[in-house]
Amino acid sequence: MNNFGYARASDVADAMRRIAADPAAKFIAGGTNLIDLMKENVARPSQLIDITHLPLKKVEETKDGGLRIGALVPNSDLAYHPQVETRYPLLGSAILAGASQQLRNMASTGGNLLQRTRCLYFYDTTTPCNKREPGSGCSAIDGINRMHAILGTSEHCIATHPSDMCVALAALDARVLATGKAGRRSIVFSEFHRLPGDTPQVDSNLQADEIITAIELPPKGFAKNYTYLKIRDRLSYAFALVSVAVGLDIEGDTIKEARLALGGVAHKPWRDRDAEAQLKGAEATRDNFLHAAETVLRDARGFGHNDFKIELARRGILRALSQAARGTPQSQADKRIK
Ligand SMILES: Cc1cc2nc3c(=O)[nH]c(=O)nc-3n(C[C@H](O)[C@H](O)[C@H](O)COP(=O)(O)OP(=O)(O)OC[C@H]3O[C@@H](n4cnc5c(N)ncnc54)[C@H](O)[C@@H]3O)c2cc1C
Ligand code: SF4
């Protein structure tokens, strides 16, 4: 057992002051990931800074008609929020595909973004892991890597980001609002998480002295033609092998705008703008969907146990695009797609 201190932040400025004064400290929100990591001796913070009493629990409309979600809004409250149910059902579906009801009640919006990988070697302190202990090696590359990444990997780490919510946020073009010593900033979602490169211990571009205060969604929610498809070993309470978030804006059979992001395949939610550009202006056909899938997976590489993910992702993309095009987010194969 490692000793650690505990302090309750009184406001955002106080939280920032405390984290800046003690770089080995960690914020604690729902605690559903951090406490597990501490129990497994993977995380050893000097101090827990409790942010659960900060006023970051509101969901409110922005001036431009989008939505601002406070960093402490619980995942369940967000999924069932009327604005999310009606305007951003892709986000609600992704949240409800994750964890369990009890965990979603505790888990916060900000904490979900910063949850750490579920790579088993990362949790097993008896094995080498560059993410846990930089320079020690990666046990997964030649080990059991069935759950691991097929895109954006490096020779140092092939872990995946485990969040479902973040895949929808990537597709929806969200922004992360953060505050730190240098002031406030708004981070484009696709630039929030990082690829492993040669520093896999760093998951995101959030600075050590920054706190996430909110997530902002633009007005467009793709509420009519969307799908969050999560493929996993069990129907609930399992992390994604592959997940696909799709939002389409369709007129007749023509796609005016497409959003496509994948989970379970990379160190960050994987959004492919080339595939989206290919779909823009194209007809909603099986061939065009397959073409987009090939584009997303053009550089995919398996590591043995996870080779199957490449074909699974291809089929997942095809199915998710087909469901979204038909406007039946949870249905099976689409007979109307040519
Ligand atoms: C058994 C189990 C199954 C799960 N299954 C899924 C699943 O299928 N899909 C899925 O998406 N998730 C799943 N989860 C993960 C769960 O969604 C996350 O643990 C949760 O979202 C983390 O939120 P939290 O508030 O509890 O974070 P915490 O554990 O409190 O914090 C996590 C990290 O975020 C940091 N942090 C928290 N808030 C802020 C902030 N505002 N600013 C800066 N840093 C902050 C903390 O310092 C810590 O490093 C599962 C978890 C468990 C335990
Ligand atoms: S994949 Fe990443 S997290 Fe897993 S063992 Fe390798 S370095 Fe560690």
Side-chain angles (χ1 to χ4, degrees):
M1 179 72 192
N2 295 297
N3 284 327
F4 60 90
Y6 171 86
R8 184 181 282 179
S10 54
D11 55 27
V12 170
D14 184 39
M16 275 164 46
R17 249 192 323 272
R18 288 177 185 276
I19 203 96
D22 183 359
K26 284 263 176 211
F27 293 131
I28 184 155
T32 61
N33 189 219
L34 183 54
I35 296 294
D36 278 357
L37 290 167
M38 288 171 69
K39 285 193 217 158
E40 300 290 340
N41 209 22
V42 175
R44 290 181 287 273
S46 55
Q47 185 189 172
L48 291 182
I49 303 170
D50 183 347
I51 56 171
T52 54
H53 290 71
L54 301 187
L56 304 172
K57 291 181 185 151
K58 274 196 203 146
V59 178
E60 54 198 348
E61 249 185 86
T62 55
K63 278 191 191 131
D64 69 353
L67 207 63
R68 184 177 304 116
I69 302 155
L72 290 169
V73 175
N75 286 180
S76 337
D77 289 15
L78 184 57
Y80 295 120
H81 192 281
Q83 290 266 15
V84 171
E85 284 188 324
T86 53
R87 297 178 55 203
Y88 305 97
L90 171 58
L91 177 58
S93 306
I95 293 172
L96 294 177
S100 65
Q101 185 63 51
Q102 291 85 348
L103 283 160
R104 294 192 296 266
N105 289 343
M106 287 300 293
S108 67
T109 301
N112 192 306
L113 265 61
L114 292 171
Q115 62 175 293
R116 306 213 69 191
T117 184
R118 291 283 158 173
C119 171
L120 291 177
Y121 300 106
F122 177 67
Y123 274 80
D124 179 353
T125 53
T126 63
T127 59
C129 167
N130 286 325
K131 188 180 277 296
R132 180 170 27 78
E133 205 179 315
S136 62
C138 172
S139 299
I141 288 177
D142 295 318
I144 297 170
N145 49 43
R146 185 170 174 275
M147 295 298 289
H148 287 71
I150 53 171
L151 288 163
T153 54
S154 79
E155 60 182 303
H156 302 286
C157 180
I158 59 170
T160 56
H161 192 267
S163 169
D164 291 292
M165 185 182 89
C166 290
V167 185
L169 291 176
L172 289 168
D173 234 352
R175 296 185 78 95
V176 183
L177 305 193
T179 303
K181 265 194 304 201
R184 291 180 194 181
R185 62 184 181 126
S186 162
I187 309 160
V188 179
F189 203 81
S190 54
E191 287 166 20
F192 183 80
H193 295 102
R194 299 175 75 255
L195 289 178
D198 56 7
T199 51
Q201 70 276 18
V202 190
D203 291 342
S204 79
N205 288 317
L206 193 74
Q207 299 302 304
D209 64 304
E210 285 182 315
I211 180 168
I212 300 173
T213 54
I215 303 291
E216 275 188 0
L217 296 176
K220 198 161 183 174
F222 300 91
K224 203 161 156 249
N225 294 96
Y226 74 93
T227 278
Y228 185 72
L229 175 66
K230 180 175 180 180
I231 304 166
R232 48 189 154 170
D233 286 328
R234 292 185 301 270
L235 262 184
S236 79
Y237 209 42
F239 289 93
L241 289 165
V242 169
S243 70
V244 189
V246 171
L248 296 176
D249 183 353
I250 298 194
E251 217 171 74
D253 270 343
T254 306
I255 299 169
K256 283 171 60 192
E257 191 177 354
R259 299 286 177 79
L260 179 58
L262 269 66
V265 298
H267 199 254
K268 60 189 279 188
W270 192 265
R271 182 166 166 199
D272 193 308
R273 285 166 201 269
D274 291 337
E276 290 176 3
Q278 258 170 28
L279 288 167
K280 189 173 175 168
E283 264 194 74
T285 63
R286 183 185 159 85
D287 281 352
N288 286 335
F289 294 161
L290 275 175
H291 190 38
E294 298 306 338
T295 298
V296 174
L297 298 166
R298 59 198 178 282
D299 296 322
R301 172 193 168 200
F303 291 84
H305 296 106
N306 71 345
D307 291 350
F308 73 98
K309 277 196 180 187
I310 299 175
E311 179 60 16
L312 191 65
R314 196 179 70 86
R315 293 180 190 209
I317 294 168
L318 173 63
R319 180 166 146 195
L321 282 166
S322 303
Q323 288 178 183
R326 199 174 71 166
T328 52
Q330 301 304 332
S331 72
Q332 301 290 320
D334 177 17
K335 300 237 166 9
R336 236 191 52 192
I337 299 296
K338 290 176 256 172

